[in-house]
Amino acid sequence: MIRFLLRRIATMAVTMLIISALVFFIIKLPPGDFLTNQIAELRAQGESASIAKAEFLIRQYGLEKPAWQQYLVWLGVMPGPNGFSGLLQGDWGWSFEYDKPVVDVVGDALWLTLLVNFAVVIFIHLVAIPIAIYSATRQYSIGDYIATFIGYIGLATPSFLLALILLYYMNRWFGISIGGLFDAQYAGQPWTWDKVQSLLSHLVVPTVVIGLGGTAAMIRRMRANLLDELGKQYYVTAKAKGLGPTKALLKYPFRMSLNPFIADIGNLLPQLVSGSVLVSLVLSLPTVGPILLSALKSQDQFLAGFILMFVAVLTVVGMLVSDLLLAWLDPRIRMGGAR
């Protein structure tokens, strides 16, 4: 296990290095950047003072240097101008669009994003697994048909459209706004128990909206996996030897049917982050999705680069967790190769 972890950590480091290069150079592919585009607009308007500030920032962050040198400075392996130390040393750079450090821009948005996505993951599994088990063990029953119908509706309904519908009818029928993650009076205020309660109450709607599609997909996939496992000989033998139906189901077919979902943990959180951008915009959620969209549109390279690296870290860490869970869940999987 220790050798496996060391190999995986080394692989993760190489993977993150490659991802960082891809992220940086893809962001640099479009001509210009935020500051050069801003300078062009300011020159057209004749604002010399603002032009001088933008040119100062270009020199401060070495944006006049070749792209490969900018990448090494951003990564933190080459000394940067004016004390800029790079990602590896904890310096996330400067957001030119917001005119403040990246750490101040993302701020609470990072952990709020993790909180929303964690709540969505819990919601998906708590809802989908019992329904899938019921549907698979009672195939072609009325409950199975109802679950199948709900699954199709969930897959066919765009999340942002559901968010718009809920916004409209919650305001029309009950006179309340479900946008954001806090009540208006708590915006920008320090954390108190009342603010935490406001967060938890506002967390319900985005969790359901973002998680509906994933719940429907998981119901369909787990039902199919369970039906396949229920027909195998080991399950029939376990029941024939006197093992109770519930215990036999949970100990063997259910565990085996979980394998694809455990393997998908590495992709689940990044998919939720990227797939919830429109929902975050509709519901005014203070997550990193809208910030990333704005940064990419304005070519704010340090801000966009950091958020994409944050999503990449979620991916590689999730893949490591999924491998460890698979080895624990399925005795047929081993950490090392066959001797």
Side-chain angles (χ1 to χ4, degrees):
M1 178 65 75
I2 294 177
R3 288 196 300 269
F4 170 78
L5 287 176
L6 292 176
R7 287 198 305 268
R8 286 305 306 268
I9 290 173
T11 304
M12 289 166 58
V14 175
T15 302
M16 291 304 302
L17 181 63
I18 296 173
I19 291 174
S20 67
L22 290 174
V23 165
F24 186 84
F25 289 107
I26 289 176
I27 291 176
K28 296 292 289 184
L29 278 179
D33 52 51
F34 181 86
L35 290 176
T36 54
N37 295 338
Q38 186 183 51
I39 288 174
E41 294 179 3
L42 293 173
R43 281 177 178 162
Q45 299 171 5
E47 298 184 14
S48 56
S50 299
I51 292 175
K53 180 182 178 181
E55 291 176 342
F56 168 76
L57 288 174
I58 288 177
R59 293 190 300 271
Q60 183 179 13
Y61 289 93
L63 299 184
E64 79 283 0
K65 295 180 179 180
W68 66 271
Q69 291 187 11
Q70 294 183 42
Y71 167 69
L72 294 178
V73 170
W74 175 67
L75 195 61
V77 298
M78 177 182 287
N82 297 303
F84 178 49
S85 54
L87 289 179
L88 293 178
Q89 302 183 44
D91 189 349
W92 299 346
W94 187 270
S95 171
F96 305 117
E97 181 181 8
Y98 293 90
D99 197 24
K100 61 175 68 174
V102 169
V103 64
D104 294 337
V105 175
V106 294
D108 289 343
L110 281 182
W111 76 264
L112 286 174
T113 300
L114 291 175
L115 177 64
V116 171
N117 289 325
F118 180 75
V120 171
V121 171
I122 297 299
F123 170 79
I124 289 174
H125 287 79
L126 287 181
V127 174
I129 289 177
I131 294 177
I133 292 175
Y134 176 87
S135 183
T137 54
R138 293 165 177 79
Q139 190 179 15
Y140 305 131
S141 64
I142 295 178
D144 182 28
Y145 286 124
I146 293 175
T148 301
F149 177 74
I150 294 175
Y152 287 140
I153 295 297
L155 290 172
T157 305
S159 297
F160 72 91
L161 178 60
L162 179 61
L164 287 172
I165 293 172
L166 288 178
L167 275 175
Y168 175 76
Y169 283 105
M170 290 295 286
N171 185 54
R172 180 176 178 179
W173 290 345
F174 303 104
I176 60 175
S177 175
I178 58 174
L181 287 176
F182 312 101
D183 292 328
Q185 65 266 28
Y186 297 116
Q189 298 298 318
W191 284 97
T192 61
W193 176 241
D194 290 336
K195 186 173 182 178
V196 172
Q197 289 181 311
S198 177
L199 170 63
L200 295 177
S201 63
H202 281 72
L203 196 60
V204 175
V205 172
T207 298
V208 174
V209 170
I210 298 173
L212 182 62
T215 302
M218 188 173 183
I219 290 173
R220 301 299 304 156
R221 290 178 60 194
M222 177 160 282
R223 177 183 181 276
N225 292 343
L226 268 177
L227 287 174
D228 181 58
E229 295 293 333
L230 290 175
K232 291 185 177 179
Q233 189 64 41
Y234 71 87
Y235 177 65
V236 178
T237 302
K239 290 197 301 181
K241 289 186 174 182
L243 196 63
T246 302
K247 188 174 182 179
L249 172 69
L250 297 179
K251 188 174 182 179
Y252 298 112
F254 175 67
R255 288 180 62 188
M256 299 304 103
S257 66
L258 284 177
N259 283 9
F261 304 101
I262 299 297
D264 281 348
I265 288 178
N267 298 322
L268 184 58
L269 283 177
Q271 287 175 355
L272 290 175
V273 173
S274 59
S276 62
V277 174
L278 289 177
V279 175
S280 298
L281 290 172
V282 171
L283 293 178
S284 302
L285 303 180
T287 58
V288 297
I291 299 176
L292 174 60
L293 180 62
S294 175
L296 292 173
K297 289 171 60 178
S298 63
Q299 294 180 269
D300 194 349
Q301 65 182 52
F302 291 125
L303 180 57
F306 169 75
I307 295 176
L308 291 174
M309 289 300 295
F310 169 71
V311 175
V313 169
L314 290 181
T315 303
V316 296
V317 172
M319 294 301 293
L320 175 62
V321 172
S322 68
D323 286 345
L324 296 176
L325 289 177
L326 279 174
W328 169 76
L329 184 70
D330 192 342
R332 298 173 298 181
I333 298 175
R334 291 292 178 263
M335 293 300 180
R339 294 185 181 274

